Amino acid sequence: MYGAYNPPMPSLPERQESPFCCKPTGEGGNRQGRTYIGDDADLANDMNAVSFEEREKVYHDIHGVSELPEETTKLLSTCLEQLDACIAKSRHTNLAKARFLRPKLDTDRDFKLMFLRSTEYDAVKATRRMCDYFDKKCEIFGEDMLVKRITISDLSEEAIECQRSGLLMMLPFKDQSGRPIQFFDFSKINWDPVAIRSHAQWFWYIIMNAVEGDATAQRRGVLSVSYAPGSGLLEPGSCGRLRGLLAPAESISDALPFKLSCTHMCYDDPRFDFLMQIIRVAASRRNRLRMRGHYGSPIEIEYSLLSFGIVSQNTFQRSRQGDLAKQNCEYIETQLRKEKRQAEMEAEDEARTGIVMYPRPNDILIGRGQSYRNYPAAQVFYKIIDTYMDQYLSSKERFEKVSLSIDVVSALRAAGYRMLQRKPSGWEILDAVSERQKVAVAFRSRLPKKVSSPRRVLANGEANTDFESDPKRRRV
């Protein structure tokens, strides 16, 4: 008969209509301590547009109770075979380049499983996401980082400095389903275009570190908790800047091999409803259905998140006090020490086996085809060969040509270049003798072509077929 009575919270301002804020749903519009998403009518329309099974899946994903298929040996082998077939058919440029530069990529089972798990074991979607992955990686980090595992040393100085403030990080705890939690503090964002690009680099780094080697995170997904205290995002021009931030973030999320299970938007200013609409429009339908908003004080938000299986451990209070920023700095230092040890171990393995996983910019790739010739170091190598070509042509004796080849190898090594030959397990580092032989072959391949002799003609004007058919008399 009577509606529920929601008394106003004394610690929060009364929700009121503003000229740039959408009208709250319901009489009075008081939603303190409640969980909702923007306009409830929009959420209802999105939910009605999907099937009952998909709605159930959305709810299960949000709460982390989805029934996952058992990863039997038969299931994994079948999915991997289908994925290999799709990759073999693909003509995507960056994917083909990555397979060429990193030979073990074709047999890297863990890498492929990340994409299969993120797409519900759909080989076609996994291949498409893998293509987007390498495209986006080139866009953010450059072509030199196409097949390299990204480390903190590969990030820009702006990316590291921006994240020391605690803007974007992975929380040190997981939810009750074992899913990692990404935390984003809107109050510490830097709207400079260079800083925005650095945010993308850091987001890539922490997500890949969270899902690599964690089968639970790959299968159940990652949670995102965003905190927007105060009304800092409601300044003039903030809407356009927010759109410019969300569009690339959505494209990166669609390229990385992980599932975004749910996005929790937490704020204490009722006018943020308007920006929630912008965030919803920028998100894909899948992510839009898995987006939830939490309005209230930090304590109320923590209780609201608790109903979703997230024990926040005073995250919002610690963010205001700067504790998360200190924790993020400690995380960066720990990762630097860990990556330094890994680099030392990889260097020891390369010295012991003579095999590198992928070529560096100063590596000369030995082989036939455009993929070898178009590599930057190979082009430098052929320019050096052309520089010594006059000396090679003037050399009459064999020992002079051998000496010249040795000089070229010494010059290349002094400049930091080395020669690699592709193997199924990686790239083999050639020794000095093999390098000299490759230089000699390069000299011979760059020799000017001789003009072929004219065909011999008989007195009656016909071609001398007897001459051409006799291998002993035919000139080569």
Side-chain angles (χ1 to χ4, degrees):
M1 180 175 179
Y2 297 99
Y5 173 66
N6 294 319
M9 301 296 293
S11 60
L12 292 171
E14 289 289 340
R15 179 178 295 276
Q16 51 186 320
E17 207 174 327
S18 65
F20 51 85
C21 178
C22 62
K23 190 172 183 178
T25 302
E27 294 296 332
N30 190 354
R31 287 173 173 167
Q32 294 173 358
R34 294 189 181 184
T35 298
Y36 71 101
I37 172 170
D39 189 358
D40 296 335
D42 291 340
L43 176 59
N45 292 333
D46 289 337
M47 283 295 189
N48 289 332
V50 299
S51 63
F52 174 79
E53 291 77 10
E54 191 170 352
R55 281 198 300 270
E56 289 296 310
K57 180 172 175 51
V58 169
Y59 293 134
H60 291 168
D61 287 346
I62 291 174
H63 293 277
V65 294
S66 300
E67 294 184 4
L68 302 177
E70 183 181 358
E71 287 191 344
T72 61
T73 304
K74 182 179 180 180
L75 173 65
L76 294 182
S77 61
T78 302
C79 292
L80 288 172
E81 290 176 1
Q82 294 174 353
L83 180 60
D84 290 337
C86 293
I87 292 175
K89 294 178 182 178
S90 175
R91 295 295 181 266
H92 192 268
T93 303
N94 283 328
L95 177 58
K97 185 177 179 181
R99 295 177 61 196
F100 168 74
L101 293 178
R102 190 156 191 152
K104 288 194 70 175
L105 196 64
D106 289 335
T107 58
D108 193 340
R109 186 173 181 269
D110 295 336
F111 182 77
K112 295 177 181 178
L113 281 178
M114 285 196 301
F115 289 91
L116 285 172
R117 289 165 175 162
S118 65
T119 56
E120 306 291 342
Y121 306 95
D122 189 319
V124 176
K125 292 182 179 179
T127 305
R128 190 180 302 117
R129 175 164 290 204
M130 192 178 295
C131 295
D132 295 339
Y133 170 85
F134 287 113
D135 285 344
K136 191 60 63 175
K137 193 174 184 180
C138 282
E139 178 184 336
I140 297 176
F141 298 100
E143 293 186 2
D144 293 343
M145 300 294 172
L146 180 64
V147 294
K148 184 182 184 299
R149 188 178 185 274
I150 301 300
T151 61
I152 290 183
S153 58
D154 300 322
L155 306 178
S156 63
E157 290 295 332
E158 293 82 2
I160 299 176
E161 291 301 324
C162 286
Q163 306 318 317
R164 291 185 186 276
S165 64
L167 167 69
L168 181 63
M169 63 182 297
M170 300 301 296
L171 294 179
F173 55 88
K174 299 181 180 181
D175 77 333
Q176 294 181 354
S177 299
R179 296 176 294 183
I181 305 174
Q182 169 220 318
F183 181 76
F184 187 85
D185 191 343
F186 273 103
S187 65
K188 299 176 182 179
I189 191 171
N190 186 348
W191 295 106
D192 182 75
V194 177
I196 294 297
R197 182 180 179 86
S198 69
H199 300 339
Q201 291 186 353
W202 184 255
F203 177 73
W204 185 290
Y205 176 80
I206 63 173
I207 290 296
M208 290 303 298
N209 273 272
V211 300
E212 282 182 338
D214 190 342
T216 302
Q218 296 171 16
R219 301 187 70 193
R220 292 204 173 274
V222 177
L223 296 178
S224 176
V225 177
S226 299
Y227 185 39
S231 57
L233 286 176
L234 300 173
E235 300 175 354
S238 61
C239 296
R241 292 182 299 181
L242 186 60
R243 290 192 186 97
L245 172 67
L246 294 175
E250 184 76 14
S251 63
I252 296 174
S253 298
D254 293 339
L256 288 174
F258 84 109
K259 293 187 294 186
L260 187 59
S261 298
C262 185
T263 301
H264 296 277
M265 301 296 301
C266 310
Y267 54 96
D268 57 6
D269 194 313
R271 296 174 297 171
F272 192 79
D273 289 346
F274 177 68
L275 296 182
M276 282 290 294
Q277 301 300 317
I278 298 177
I279 295 173
R280 293 187 71 251
V281 171
S284 62
R285 192 190 71 167
R286 181 195 178 280
N287 294 339
R288 188 164 60 247
L289 293 174
R290 291 164 174 80
M291 190 179 296
R292 295 295 179 268
H294 307 272
Y295 165 67
S297 66
I299 298 298
E300 290 175 321
I301 293 174
E302 290 185 3
Y303 276 113
S304 181
L305 292 176
L306 188 61
S307 64
F308 290 88
I310 303 175
V311 183
S312 59
Q313 301 181 6
N314 297 325
T315 297
F316 304 103
Q317 293 287 0
R318 293 166 59 199
S319 177
R320 287 182 170 180
Q321 296 171 1
D323 293 343
L324 291 185
K326 297 178 182 178
Q327 186 174 317
N328 212 16
C329 293
E330 295 175 358
Y331 170 79
I332 293 175
E333 298 301 325
T334 302
Q335 289 297 109
L336 284 172
R337 292 192 294 268
K338 178 180 177 181
E339 291 167 0
K340 183 179 179 181
R341 292 194 299 268
Q342 290 178 346
E344 293 174 352
M345 293 175 60
E346 290 178 0
E348 293 176 358
D349 291 340
E350 290 181 3
R352 177 173 51 85
T353 62
I355 299 291
V356 298
M357 293 295 101
Y358 57 90
R360 276 61 169 182
N362 283 354
D363 290 337
I364 302 170
L365 309 184
I366 302 301
R368 296 181 178 180
Q370 290 186 352
S371 299
Y372 295 89
R373 293 194 299 268
N374 293 338
Y375 200 71
Q379 297 178 2
V380 175
F381 170 65
Y382 286 116
K383 288 182 180 179
I384 295 176
I385 293 296
D386 293 338
T387 303
Y388 285 89
M389 184 56 68
D390 292 338
Q391 299 182 35
Y392 183 84
L393 293 174
S394 61
S395 301
K396 302 299 182 183
E397 301 295 335
R398 184 178 182 276
F399 75 89
E400 296 178 349
K401 297 180 180 180
V402 172
S403 177
L404 183 61
S405 299
I406 295 175
D407 293 342
V408 172
V409 171
S410 300
L412 289 172
R413 291 197 168 190
Y417 290 92
R418 62 181 178 179
M419 294 187 184
L420 305 180
Q421 194 164 13
R422 196 174 189 272
K423 301 291 183 180
S425 59
W427 292 86
E428 181 183 6
I429 305 174
L430 300 185
D431 55 16
V433 176
S434 300
E435 287 184 344
R436 182 189 63 78
Q437 294 174 352
K438 299 302 180 182
V439 169
V441 172
F443 271 122
R444 291 194 293 270
S445 66
R446 308 290 282 187
L447 287 173
K449 296 182 179 180
K450 297 180 179 181
V451 179
S452 58
S453 58
R455 300 173 65 188
R456 298 194 177 186
V457 182
L458 298 177
N460 58 2
E462 297 179 357
N464 189 354
T465 56
D466 294 337
F467 172 81
E468 293 184 355
S469 60
D470 189 354
K472 295 182 179 180
R473 301 176 62 187
R474 187 169 59 231
R475 305 182 74 176
V476 180

